[in-house]
Amino acid sequence: MTAETSGPARAAGGGEPLVILAAGGSVPIEVATAARAAGRDILVIGLEGDVDDGIKAFPHALAKWGQIGRIEQLVRGHGARELVLIGTVARRPDFGSMAVDFGTLRYLPRLIKAMFGGDDAVLAQFARYIEERGFRIVGVHDVAPELVARAGPVAGPAPEGGTLADAMLAFEAARAIGLIDAGQAAVAVGRRVVALEAAEGTDAMLERVAAIRAGGRVKWTGRAGVLAKRAKPQQDLRLDMPAIGPRTVEAVADAGLAGIVIEAGSVLMAERGEMVALAERSGTFVFAVPGSWSGASGEPAG
Amino acid sequence: MTAETSGPARAAGGGEPLVILAAGGSVPIEVATAARAAGRDILVIGLEGDVDDGIKAFPHALAKWGQIGRIEQLVRGHGARELVLIGTVARRPDFGSMAVDFGTLRYLPRLIKAMFGGDDAVLAQFARYIEERGFRIVGVHDVAPELVARAGPVAGPAPEGGTLADAMLAFEAARAIGLIDAGQAAVAVGRRVVALEAAEGTDAMLERVAAIRAGGRVKWTGRAGVLAKRAKPQQDLRLDMPAIGPRTVEAVADAGLAGIVIEAGSVLMAERGEMVALAERSGTFVFAVPGSWSGASGEPAG
């Protein structure tokens, strides 16, 4: 066991204890900041190798992949009943070098699978395991609702005309692939679906859109077309929330798309301030609509 | 006008005249061969710059992009009432250097769009124009049915077990994206949809699957997973028929997939002999199922 706890496990705040099980990226830190501001008494358990150094600003501990027994001890030690699972996992861990403790052996197969997302059934199984142990998994929308988009313009103007039509088509296409549990994002340009996301992820899909444009396979000039991102209809947002961030905006602008439509209440905005600034600077709109949006009025009706 | 007619416009055969409007690749030649064998009196009109040299083995003429008036004259000169449109278009033509004749001016915008596929509404409009002029567009399945898959094993054994489950899932995913007019192909591995085709095309999608595997984003060992290819539910097969060929088999094997499931009656098999030989050699199955296939029995029930 190389993980260590630094700082008092029970830190300032005094509110209801919360454990943030943090993988990579800045979002776990944003969630910790928001939850602390909301008065929660937090402990961040960072997954070694994935977690960002920024968690050192919070009461924290590190755990390795697979140390479920240790994680459970830490959660109990913090007196927490609620956990948030958040952050990105770059790639599957190296099984050879993975620390596995006694608490893990039974659950290892489902934990590993659960950590790689995409399969809602396995994630649900993981949640079931956690809840069997007497804990409750909560979502970012529960502990840091300000990180989740609300219906309306997030950056730039609401889409109109052909851009509105592309937004509707992309949003509908994203729904169709969500229904088959394949992906969360789609791109439409000129009233044609040009890309659908599956295992490659949104960033790789946007690189493909840029290549499709450069290759002349679908032609458009100036900024046109829309990326849509939304939750799968059956998605458990506590376990796996779609996200956009500054990198998404950058990739959308690089691909020559006009903007992004996201599902209100279901899509996390990572580094929102930076993302909005970048969107305004690059002339990229970001618009949130309810899942039931038909786009007909152009208004976020929900 | 640089196009020229070589050989007698009305050649051996003596059967009902047929014009094959041929873009690139070997399929137009296969169609010409099969239609001639079936007794049709054929004329191939090759699209300059796209068409394969192999059409020289048939009574043929060349036309440039946009010479609708000339094409109409050639069809009338051949005494044909039926046309087949077939072949691949590498990329949109260079508009600057395109020859446009008087017959074309009115129809140019819809012709150009029609030639690039993907938008069934525009293709239907093109068919309407042709049929307005007194001609009838027929499909490959009408004039060369042996080039289209029939239900059952095409190469290798029928899929079983996990491979059968992947075949069903990929086939269903391809249906879902067809319903939104986005694409015709999907890949499932380990009961997960890993790629969906849109504007990039099947070959590019298969390269992505290989990259996803190499990158460790989805892990599988040995040969596993299935490519499904089928017509869009609303697709007019006379205008745009999905196709697989030796290159598809090669790309499927390179991506580490186990095989291909295609929709019987709706998917063209280019260079079938070579494709089957390559499939057998590389241990890749090719299996055709009816569009209504649920996969439950593993049998091609249609």
Side-chain angles (χ1 to χ4, degrees):
Chain A
M1 288 215 202
T2 60
E4 48 182 273
T5 305
S6 77
R10 201 174 278 276
E16 203 195 330
L18 175 71
V19 165
I20 298 170
L21 191 57
S26 63
V27 173
I29 297 157
E30 294 186 78
V31 172
T33 304
R36 184 158 68 179
R40 301 296 294 262
D41 174 15
I42 67 161
L43 170 69
V44 180
I45 303 178
L47 289 168
E48 262 191 271
D50 281 310
V51 75
D52 192 281
D53 267 0
I55 64 152
K56 290 183 178 159
F58 301 89
H60 69 281
L62 293 177
K64 277 187 186 292
W65 277 108
Q67 295 180 314
I68 291 188
R70 170 167 163 75
I71 291 169
E72 188 176 337
Q73 269 182 339
L74 286 165
V75 176
R76 292 200 190 282
H78 186 57
R81 295 204 55 242
E82 294 190 341
L83 283 92
V84 176
L85 275 64
I86 187 74
T88 57
V89 174
R91 43 180 302 143
R92 61 182 60 223
D94 177 350
F95 288 87
S97 68
M98 196 172 75
V100 174
D101 68 19
F102 289 118
T104 307
L105 289 175
R106 240 177 94 195
Y107 303 102
L108 190 60
R110 28 180 181 154
L111 174 67
I112 296 303
K113 283 187 189 158
M115 285 299 178
F116 291 96
D119 188 334
D120 298 331
V122 178
L123 280 171
Q125 202 176 48
F126 177 68
R128 219 161 28 241
Y129 159 69
I130 294 283
E131 305 204 313
E132 274 166 22
R133 313 295 288 171
F135 305 115
R136 201 159 77 86
I137 293 181
V138 294
V140 171
H141 50 298
D142 297 314
V143 299
E146 64 270 41
L147 300 185
V148 179
R150 265 186 297 204
V154 175
E160 296 184 333
T163 305
L164 177 60
D166 285 343
M168 290 165 60
L169 179 55
F171 199 63
E172 182 53 33
R175 181 172 183 277
I177 62 169
L179 279 169
I180 56 169
D181 198 19
Q184 306 171 331
V187 171
V189 181
R191 259 143 280 191
R192 181 174 167 196
V193 177
V194 300
L196 297 168
E197 176 203 47
E200 77 275 23
T202 306
D203 291 348
M205 180 186 67
L206 289 168
E207 277 174 35
R208 176 163 88 249
V209 172
I212 285 169
R213 181 180 184 168
R217 192 146 188 153
V218 178
K219 194 168 174 142
W220 70 100
T221 50
R223 301 285 295 274
V226 177
L227 164 71
K229 191 151 188 182
R230 62 189 297 169
K232 298 172 187 169
Q234 71 283 25
Q235 192 160 348
D236 186 338
L237 297 176
R238 301 172 311 153
L239 301 179
D240 177 22
M241 187 174 258
I244 63 168
R247 216 170 38 172
T248 318
V249 166
E250 209 161 36
V252 160
D254 286 350
L257 301 173
I260 306 172
V261 61
I262 53 176
E263 184 181 4
S266 301
V267 177
L268 194 63
M269 294 180 296
E271 301 166 69
R272 180 174 187 157
E274 197 191 320
M275 183 189 84
V276 169
L278 193 56
E280 302 284 6
R281 212 155 59 227
S282 65
T284 308
F285 76 82
V286 179
F287 191 64
V289 298
S292 60
W293 187 56
S294 74
S297 71
E299 294 299 312
Chain B
M1 288 217 201
T2 61
E4 50 183 90
T5 305
S6 78
R10 201 174 279 274
E16 202 195 330
L18 174 71
V19 166
I20 298 170
L21 191 56
S26 63
V27 173
I29 298 156
E30 295 186 77
V31 171
T33 304
R36 184 158 67 179
R40 300 295 294 263
D41 173 15
I42 67 159
L43 170 67
V44 180
I45 303 178
L47 289 169
E48 263 191 87
D50 280 311
V51 74
D52 191 281
D53 267 1
I55 66 152
K56 289 183 180 157
F58 301 89
H60 70 280
L62 293 176
K64 278 188 187 291
W65 277 109
Q67 294 180 315
I68 291 187
R70 170 167 165 74
I71 291 168
E72 189 177 336
Q73 268 182 342
L74 287 165
V75 176
R76 292 201 191 281
H78 185 58
R81 295 204 57 242
E82 293 190 343
L83 283 93
V84 175
L85 275 62
I86 188 75
T88 57
V89 174
R91 43 181 301 147
R92 59 183 59 222
D94 175 350
F95 288 87
S97 67
M98 195 171 77
V100 174
D101 69 18
F102 290 117
T104 308
L105 288 176
R106 239 177 93 196
Y107 303 102
L108 189 60
R110 30 180 181 154
L111 175 66
I112 297 302
K113 281 187 192 160
M115 286 301 177
F116 290 96
D119 186 335
D120 298 330
V122 178
L123 280 170
Q125 201 176 50
F126 177 69
R128 218 161 28 240
Y129 159 70
I130 295 283
E131 304 203 314
E132 274 166 23
R133 314 294 288 171
F135 305 116
R136 201 159 77 86
I137 294 181
V138 295
V140 171
H141 50 298
D142 296 314
V143 299
E146 65 270 42
L147 300 185
V148 178
R150 265 187 298 206
V154 175
E160 297 183 334
T163 304
L164 176 60
D166 285 342
M168 290 165 58
L169 179 57
F171 199 63
E172 181 53 32
R175 181 172 183 278
I177 63 169
L179 279 169
I180 56 168
D181 197 21
Q184 306 171 329
V187 171
V189 181
R191 258 144 279 190
R192 179 173 167 196
V193 177
V194 301
L196 297 168
E197 177 203 46
E200 77 275 22
T202 306
D203 291 348
M205 181 186 65
L206 289 169
E207 278 174 35
R208 176 163 87 248
V209 172
I212 284 170
R213 181 180 186 171
R217 191 144 189 154
V218 179
K219 194 166 176 146
W220 70 99
T221 51
R223 301 286 295 274
V226 177
L227 165 70
K229 192 151 186 180
R230 63 189 298 169
K232 298 172 188 170
Q234 70 283 25
Q235 192 160 347
D236 187 338
L237 296 175
R238 301 171 313 153
L239 301 178
D240 177 23
M241 188 174 255
I244 62 168
R247 216 171 37 172
T248 318
V249 167
E250 210 161 36
V252 160
D254 287 349
L257 300 173
I260 305 172
V261 61
I262 53 176
E263 184 181 3
S266 301
V267 177
L268 194 63
M269 293 179 298
E271 301 165 71
R272 181 175 185 155
E274 197 191 319
M275 183 189 83
V276 168
L278 193 56
E280 303 284 4
R281 212 157 57 230
S282 64
T284 307
F285 76 82
V286 180
F287 191 64
V289 298
S292 60
W293 187 57
S294 74
S297 71
E299 293 300 312

